[in-house]
C-alpha cells in the first residue's frame, strides 16, 4: 500500500471511532476531514450504528478503502477463496483497500480454538492451497507469525493468545 493510503486508513479508523460515539453530525464532520486529507480529493461515507462502525471511501486516483469494526463482522465478499480461514473465529475488524489495481484485505478476530490447533490448520491449509511458506516465527507457544507467497501475492497470519482465546489476524495482498 502506498503511504497516502496507509495515512488515509489510519485517519479513517480514528474518525470512524470518534463518529460512533457522537452521532450524525460527527459522521459528517469526520467525512469532511478525511476527504480534505485525501491526496486527490474523494468521497467518504461513515456509518456508525448498532455497535459497529463502517467506513467507505475512494480518492480521485481510484484508491478505495472499506473498513468495518464491531462485535461480529462478516468477511468481505471479495475475500480470496484460496486463503484458509479457521473455523469459529468471530471477526471484529475487516479492512479492504485497492490502490493502482492492487488490493489488500486485513481481518482480525478471536476464537476459542487453541493456538496450536489454529496454527496447524493454517499451515496445512495454506500449503494445500498452493501457498509457499516464506517466513515463520514462534514465541513459546504464545505468538506465531507465518508468511506465504503465491504468484505475485503475499499472505500472513499472526496468531496469539489473549484472555484464554486465540487472536487471529490475516493479511492478504
Amino acid at each position: 500500500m502506498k503511504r497516502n493510503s496507509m495515512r488515509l486508513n489510519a485517519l479513517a479508523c480514528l474518525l470512524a471511532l470518534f463518529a460512533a460515539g457522537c452521532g450524525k453530525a460527527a459522521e459528517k464532520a469526520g467525512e469532511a476531514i478525511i476527504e480534505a486529507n485525501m491526496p486527490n480529493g474523494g468521497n467518504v461515507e461513515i456509518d456508525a450504528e448498532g455497535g459497529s462502525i463502517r467506513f467507505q471511501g475512494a480518492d480521485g486516483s481510484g484508491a478505495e478503502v472499506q473498513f468495518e469494526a464491531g462485535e461480529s463482522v462478516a468477511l468481505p465478499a471479495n475475500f480470496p477463496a484460496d486463503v484458509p480461514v479457521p473455523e469459529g473465529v468471530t471477526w471484529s475488524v475487516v479492512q479492504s483497500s485497492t490502490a493502482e489495481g492492487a488490493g489488500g484485505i486485513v481481518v482480525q478476530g478471536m476464537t476459542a480454538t487453541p493456538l496450536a490447533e489454529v496454527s496447524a490448520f493454517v499451515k496445512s491449509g495454506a500449503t494445500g492451497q498452493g501457498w509457499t511458506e516464506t517466513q515463520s516465527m514462534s514465541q513459546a507457544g504464545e505468538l506465531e507469525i507465518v508468511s506465504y507467497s503465491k504468484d505475485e501475492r503475499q499472505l500472513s497470519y499472526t496468531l496469539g493468545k489473549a484472555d484464554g482465546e486465540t487472536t487471529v489476524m490475516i493479511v492478504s495482498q
Side-chain angles (χ1 to χ4, degrees):
M1 263 186 249
K2 290 183 140 187
R3 185 178 184 160
N4 286 335
S5 292
M6 291 183 357
R7 184 178 72 186
L8 173 62
N9 293 350
L11 183 60
C13 294
L14 290 173
L15 289 172
L17 290 171
F18 171 74
C22 299
K24 294 291 180 190
E27 287 179 18
K28 294 297 177 196
E31 291 168 4
I33 291 169
I34 294 171
E35 289 169 356
N37 282 285
M38 296 175 85
N40 298 314
N43 182 44
V44 172
E45 294 295 325
I46 295 174
D47 181 19
E49 65 177 58
S52 67
I53 300 161
R54 287 181 253 339
F55 163 87
Q56 183 171 348
D59 70 14
S61 69
E64 295 182 16
V65 175
Q66 294 182 353
F67 172 87
E68 186 172 1
E71 290 185 22
S72 181
V73 178
L75 291 176
N78 65 339
F79 194 85
D82 64 346
V83 172
V85 177
E87 289 186 27
V89 177
T90 300
W91 302 105
S92 57
V93 176
V94 173
Q95 177 182 326
S96 62
S97 61
T98 60
E100 297 179 8
I105 295 177
V106 177
V107 296
Q108 184 175 337
M110 303 278 287
T111 181
T113 305
L115 186 137
E117 288 181 37
V118 175
S119 178
F121 169 82
V122 164
K123 289 179 180 185
S124 68
T127 56
Q129 288 289 332
W131 292 93
T132 301
E133 186 175 311
T134 57
Q135 183 178 5
S136 179
M137 182 184 86
S138 180
Q139 190 173 49
E142 296 291 319
L143 174 70
E144 293 206 25
I145 301 172
V146 185
S147 299
Y148 299 91
S149 66
K150 181 179 186 181
D151 302 321
E152 297 295 317
R153 297 168 52 212
Q154 303 296 313
L155 173 64
S156 69
Y157 291 84
T158 302
L159 311 172
K161 287 185 178 181
D163 300 325
E165 292 192 299
T166 301
T167 62
V168 177
M169 182 168 65
I170 304 172
V171 179
S172 173
Q173 298 178 332

